[in-house]
Amino acid sequence: MKRIIILALALAVILGMSFSAHAKKRYVFGGGPAGGTFQVVANGIQVFEPIKNSPNFAVKAQSSGGSVENLRTTNAGRVAFSTVYAGHVFLGRNGKMKNDTNKYENVMAVGYLYGAPAQLVVRKGSGIKSVKDLAGKKVGVGNAGSGAFANCELFFTHMGVWDSIERNAMGYNDAAQAFGNEQLDAFWLFTAFPSGAVIMAAQTNDIELVDLAADAKASGYFDKYPYFGKLSVPAGTYRGVDADVPSFFDSALLVTNAKIPADHVYELMQAVWSDAGLKHMLEQKKTFKDMSVANGIKGIDPNVIPLHPGAVKFWKEKGVLE
C-alpha cells in the first residue's frame, strides 16, 4: 500500500510538471482609452480565433492611456504587446521624450498597423487659420498620457503656442461635446479619419480643419522630426469640409517587449497578417484598410527602430525584408 501511494504521488508530480511545461503563456496586450483605435487593435487580436485557440499562449487586452503609457509598460515588461506611434518608439529609444531622458530600449517593432494623421477642428469663420492663431484660445489637446496629447505638446511647443493656450486634456468624444457646447474653441486629434468625434462635431457646428502641413513645413517641423509623413484629409471626409486639407501623420505600430520568445511573436504575426487575420482586422474598423503584408514595415526603418527577431523571420519569409 505504501509503495502504491508513493508511486501515485510520483505520477502526480510528473503529470503536474508535464502540465506546467505545456501551460499557456499569458500575455497582456496594451490597448488605449475606451472607444479609441488602440483599444480596437488589442480587442481585435484578443478575440481572433487563431489567437484564442493557440496552444502556446493567450492574449488579454487591457486598456491604457495610449501610446506613451504603452511605450513605458511594454519596455518594463508589464505588457507583452501594445500599439505605440513610431515617433514615440524613436524618441523613447533615444532618450528624447518630453521631460524624460530614460531610454526605452526593450521596445521592438513588429509591424505597421495604420497611419494616424493630426487633425485640428475649428468653427467655420473663427479666423483660426494657423496653430499660431490659437493663442489665448481654449483647446482640447487629448487625454493626458496619450499619443494625441504628446504629439500635440510636441507640435504646439515647436510652434510656440503650448504655453499660451488654455489646455483641456480630454478624450476625443468629450472634446467634441465640449466644442459643440462652445466650451472649446478648437480640439486636436491624432487618429485615423474619418473620426467619429469630428463627425459628431460637424453635426452641431459648421467646422473647418486647419492646414497643419503648412505650419509644419514653414516652421521646419519635418526637418526636426523626420519620422512624420505628409498626407491630406480628403475633401468630403467631414460635412462641410469640401477641399483636401494637408496634414502630417505618424505610423501606429504593433510593438513587443524584447524578451518575448521569437516563436510566439512569429505565431501571432502568422495569425494577424494572414488573409483571414487582415480581413478580421478590417471588420473591426475601416482604419485598418492599409494594413497588409506589403505595408508590413511601412514607417519602420530597422536601422532606427529595430524589429523583434520573430518579426524579422516573418517579414523575411514574406519577402518584405531581404
Side-chain angles (χ1 to χ4, degrees):
M1 178 63 72
K2 188 175 181 180
R3 178 180 288 182
I4 293 173
I5 293 172
I6 292 172
L7 287 172
L9 288 172
L11 181 61
V13 169
I14 292 170
L15 289 173
M17 290 174 64
S18 176
F19 176 80
S20 297
H22 294 90
K24 280 190 177 186
K25 184 71 176 177
R26 297 186 180 276
Y27 292 132
V28 175
F29 196 117
T37 305
F38 278 23
Q39 191 62 32
V40 175
V41 174
N43 291 340
I45 290 176
Q46 174 187 258
V47 303
F48 187 43
E49 288 297 326
I51 301 294
K52 287 176 64 176
N53 297 331
S54 170
N56 300 312
F57 59 82
V59 173
K60 179 173 177 56
Q62 178 177 289
S63 62
S64 82
S67 182
V68 176
E69 180 179 325
N70 287 347
L71 174 77
R72 291 170 174 150
T73 55
T74 303
N75 186 78
R78 293 198 294 275
V79 304
F81 299 94
S82 69
T83 304
V84 180
Y85 289 123
H88 293 147
V89 179
F90 169 77
L91 294 172
R93 289 189 64 86
N94 291 282
K96 295 182 178 180
M97 293 289 288
K98 179 74 173 179
N99 299 322
D100 183 356
T101 58
N102 292 315
K103 291 189 175 182
Y104 298 95
E105 297 177 327
N106 290 328
V107 179
M108 305 188 81
V110 172
Y112 169 86
L113 297 172
Y114 63 93
Q119 301 169 67
L120 182 62
V121 182
V122 299
R123 289 182 188 80
K124 188 166 289 187
S126 67
I128 301 172
K129 301 297 182 184
S130 163
V131 169
K132 291 184 178 180
D133 297 326
L134 292 175
K137 306 292 187 183
K138 294 175 285 188
V139 185
V141 295
N143 275 322
S146 69
F149 183 98
N151 277 304
C152 186
E153 182 177 16
L154 186 73
F155 186 51
F156 283 21
T157 298
H158 177 81
M159 293 296 297
V161 300
W162 182 251
D163 292 325
S164 63
I165 63 172
E166 183 181 317
R167 300 189 295 267
N168 292 263
M170 56 178 65
Y172 297 150
N173 288 346
D174 289 341
Q177 186 174 359
F179 180 82
N181 294 334
E182 300 190 359
Q183 295 169 311
L184 293 177
D185 298 298
F187 68 102
W188 162 278
L189 305 91
F190 206 82
T191 189
F193 54 76
S195 161
V198 182
I199 291 172
M200 185 193 313
Q203 290 174 344
T204 56
N205 292 267
D206 292 328
I207 68 165
E208 292 180 333
L209 297 181
V210 174
D211 182 345
L212 297 174
D215 280 345
K217 183 178 180 181
S219 64
Y221 194 66
F222 292 126
D223 297 325
K224 189 172 183 179
Y225 303 103
Y227 52 81
F228 286 113
K230 302 172 186 177
L231 54 56
S232 292
V233 179
T237 299
Y238 302 116
R239 185 178 72 84
V241 182
D242 300 324
D244 292 353
V245 182
S247 185
F248 56 86
F249 75 97
D250 198 354
S251 299
L253 307 180
L254 196 161
V255 301
T256 188
N257 180 275
K259 295 179 181 178
I260 302 303
D263 56 339
H264 287 183
V265 173
Y266 177 81
E267 181 183 339
L268 182 138
M269 295 180 72
Q270 280 188 309
V272 174
W273 272 275
S274 66
D275 290 343
L278 293 171
K279 180 182 177 183
H280 168 76
M281 293 303 293
L282 188 58
E283 288 171 351
Q284 307 309 301
K285 196 168 186 179
K286 292 181 180 178
T287 300
F288 306 120
K289 61 184 180 297
D290 292 331
M291 188 178 168
S292 67
V293 169
N295 287 339
I297 60 171
K298 181 178 178 180
I300 306 171
D301 180 345
N303 296 315
V304 176
I305 301 175
L307 287 160
H308 190 280
V312 171
K313 177 184 177 182
F314 181 82
W315 294 124
K316 280 187 175 180
E317 285 186 0
K318 294 297 182 181
V320 175
L321 281 176
E322 295 183 359

